[in-house]
Amino acid sequence: MRDIRYPIEGVIYHPEERARGYLERSVWRPQTVGGVLRETASRCPERTALITDEGSLTFRELDELTDRLAAAMLRLGLRAPDRVIFQMGTTIETALALLACYKAGIVPVCSLPQHRQLEIGALIRQTGARGYFVQGDFGRADLPDFAAQMMADYPGVEHLIVARGSASQTGHAMGSMIDGMPLLQAREQLFGNEPGCEDVLSFQLSGGTTGSPKIIPRFHAEYLAHALACARRYRLDETERIIWALPLLHNAAQVYVLMPVIAMGVSAVLMPRVDVPRMMELIDQHRVTRAMSIGPIAPQIMAYPDLARHDLSSLRLFITMSAADHLERHLGVPCSNLFGITEGLLLGSPADAPDYVRHHTQGKSGCVEDEIVLLEPESETPVKPGEMGELCFRGPATLPGFFNAPDANARSFTAHGFYRTGDMMTAHVVDGDTFYTFGGRLRDNINRGGEKIGCEEVEALINTHPAVSEARLVAMPDPVYGEKGCIFIIPRPGSLAPSVPELGAFLVEKGLAKYKCPERVEHIDAFPVTKVGKLDKAALRTRIAQVLNREAAMRRESDDDQD
């Protein structure tokens, strides 16, 4: 019998027979997130769960406060499986709000504070949201006022809850809701109303860089097991302390941090924003054992000039998206590459994995039932061993389909149910295990007069240059070849970005074909990111195209003056 107590129209659920098999083989957990938190709070009530500069919470406090908030939401009029928009940063209040929703069966729509009318409007229309959580003190943005405007445009959104700020006339202060709900009454109200383990936990957003994000339903049983399989892959144990400085609403924050915290009893240090000097101080102060860079953190660490004054001896592993060898030499701490996708696959390697695996692959899955194939692009033909192909996967955590998106679902899966990632990978067999190396996006290349240049291949070499902290290659328009390569470089402190001839000589010496060498170098202080926190290469391409247009205009003006 299925444990779906609050079905949602438009959600594609895992077929019953498959779900039953996952539960029987223990690749799903027959529990809910709320139930697991209660068990952990009972086992280690006074252990610290979450740490911030503003204060900390024990597991007992985390469990009690989320019970009270969950019941307060039900008293307010929200009901499972209502959807609620989230625009909150990385704070204890965000963790409380998320976990309270998970306990009540209310489904967070994991948006970001940076999203505006187009994104939020589309998400409200797509999900039929009835509630709205905002953070009242997020930067210079007035999120309560923005939410009130959106609610005026979409009257179906009835309930506004404001954390870390006073409630507006149309909203409710989250702190007051908790204070007004006695614990005993809260637990009586929640009893019997909890979601089932196969119910939807949250609506995560796809990481696409164009158009409206697709909505990815994640489920209690699979999400818990997914996160714990990854934790096992990294040899994580309950003595660990993790640090996190990126959005807490991201899928990465949930699977790498929040789920292990509540399920294993590990502790997490939360930072409201990326601040490398403060991160180094917190690693030292709280004896952090695990750190992670998804996005801008690793390049900023590489450019940080005062690293030597911090004690990082507690760190057992630093996980990054790429260039782990580069970062490991800089930090003196074991580092490994990772790969993660919200649609349901996590690859990684622990600190004791061979150097080649940690530094030159993204690792492997921690789930024994994840199946991976590499296919020739736009086909269902597997590539030959050693060749690069599109990463496609299926398994216990693979989404069965995007929410209310039949066209996207028709395009996104193979005939055998493998999800097409659009990411290119190469498989490597080491000591009998298969590991995967990221080779770029299907369309992340440069077509230089018909010759294709893979950006990641060139970037990986340039990132080994002693003057380079981080580099990203994009296509720039060219009147003869159609496209040429432009490299954006963040130099190391005290260094200058190499010139085009210097960089070309360096790359040719490394063995790179000359036609692949970048033909323009641009200095940049920080890379632009999308609203979901991923590198925005489209913005870099736009930037260099605008620079070239300005230079062409100046040349034309100069020619006119000479005439």
Side-chain angles (χ1 to χ4, degrees), residues 226-433:
H226 183 50
L228 291 174
C230 182
R232 288 193 300 272
R233 174 69 189 140
Y234 282 119
R235 316 263 198 269
L236 195 70
D237 63 54
E238 65 178 22
T239 68
E240 306 275 2
R241 184 158 284 175
I242 309 168
I243 194 164
W244 185 260
L246 297 166
L248 196 57
L249 296 173
H250 274 180
N251 176 70
Q254 304 279 298
V255 292
Y256 289 120
V257 183
L258 192 59
M259 293 300 115
V261 165
I262 65 164
M264 299 178 65
V266 304
S267 301
V269 180
L270 302 180
M271 297 180 63
R273 67 188 63 85
V274 175
D275 180 342
V276 167
R278 183 60 183 149
M279 175 182 277
M280 298 300 113
E281 292 171 358
L282 290 171
I283 290 171
D284 185 352
Q285 177 183 344
H286 295 293
R287 310 309 296 155
V288 168
T289 62
R290 304 279 173 136
M292 186 173 295
S293 167
I294 298 176
I297 296 176
Q300 292 187 29
I301 291 174
M302 295 293 295
Y304 178 50
D306 296 323
L307 194 65
R309 67 183 179 87
H310 301 285
D311 180 4
L312 306 181
S313 60
S314 62
L315 276 179
R316 303 174 191 174
L317 181 65
F318 198 112
I319 307 167
T320 183
M321 292 188 72
S322 61
D325 51 346
H326 206 32
L327 187 62
E328 183 169 312
R329 287 194 298 271
H330 190 69
L331 284 175
V333 169
C335 297
S336 66
N337 294 327
L338 66 83
F339 173 86
I341 187 168
T342 311
E343 286 81 356
L345 180 68
L346 301 174
L347 305 177
S349 300
D352 61 356
D355 287 355
Y356 177 84
V357 170
R358 285 189 295 108
H359 296 163
H360 300 292
T361 82
Q362 268 57 45
K364 70 174 187 176
S365 172
C367 177
V368 295
E369 293 201 16
D370 276 339
E371 299 176 74
I372 296 174
V373 295
L374 302 181
L375 302 180
E376 294 179 0
E378 300 180 2
S379 82
E380 301 210 4
T381 304
V383 299
K384 296 176 182 178
E387 291 185 355
M388 187 181 297
E390 182 185 6
L391 174 72
C392 302
F393 65 88
R394 67 182 180 186
T398 305
L399 85 161
F402 295 104
F403 175 67
N404 262 351
D407 291 342
N409 289 331
R411 296 190 304 268
S412 299
F413 295 87
T414 71
H416 299 289
F418 286 81
Y419 177 72
R420 295 183 178 274
T421 66
D423 292 311
M424 300 296 286
M425 292 270 191
T426 305
H428 305 272
V429 178
V430 179
D431 297 332
D433 280 336

Side-chain angles (χ1 to χ4, degrees), residues 60-119:
R60 175 184 57 79
E61 292 168 329
L62 186 62
D63 186 42
E64 292 178 355
L65 290 171
T66 51
D67 275 349
R68 293 165 67 186
L69 180 56
M73 285 191 286
L74 297 178
R75 186 167 68 181
L76 188 64
L78 290 165
R79 294 286 182 271
D82 284 343
R83 275 73 72 193
V84 290
I85 302 291
F86 264 68
Q87 286 194 282
M88 301 178 72
T90 302
T91 68
I92 280 181
E93 288 81 3
T94 304
L96 291 175
L98 284 169
L99 292 169
C101 286
Y102 296 160
K103 284 184 171 181
I106 294 166
V107 179
V109 181
C110 295
S111 177
L112 292 175
Q114 294 85 353
H115 284 155
R116 286 299 174 261
Q117 284 88 345
L118 288 176
E119 295 94 349

Side-chain angles (χ1 to χ4, degrees), residues 196-216:
C197 73
E198 293 182 65
D199 271 309
V200 175
L201 173 76
S202 65
F203 275 175
Q204 286 285 347
L205 307 184
S206 70
T209 58
T210 60
S212 297
K214 297 184 290 292
I215 294 172
I216 302 168

Side-chain angles (χ1 to χ4, degrees), residues 157-209:
V157 185
E158 303 172 44
H159 306 286
L160 173 62
I161 301 171
V162 181
R164 299 173 64 88
S166 60
S168 65
Q169 291 181 346
T170 57
H172 305 269
M174 190 177 109
S176 297
M177 291 174 64
I178 295 172
D179 293 342
M181 175 57 68
L183 180 61
L184 182 59
Q185 182 180 337
R187 288 180 167 165
E188 289 175 349
Q189 187 163 351
L190 290 174
F191 182 76
N193 292 317
E194 297 93 343
C197 73
E198 293 182 65
D199 271 309
V200 175
L201 173 76
S202 65
F203 275 175
Q204 286 285 347
L205 307 184
S206 70
T209 58

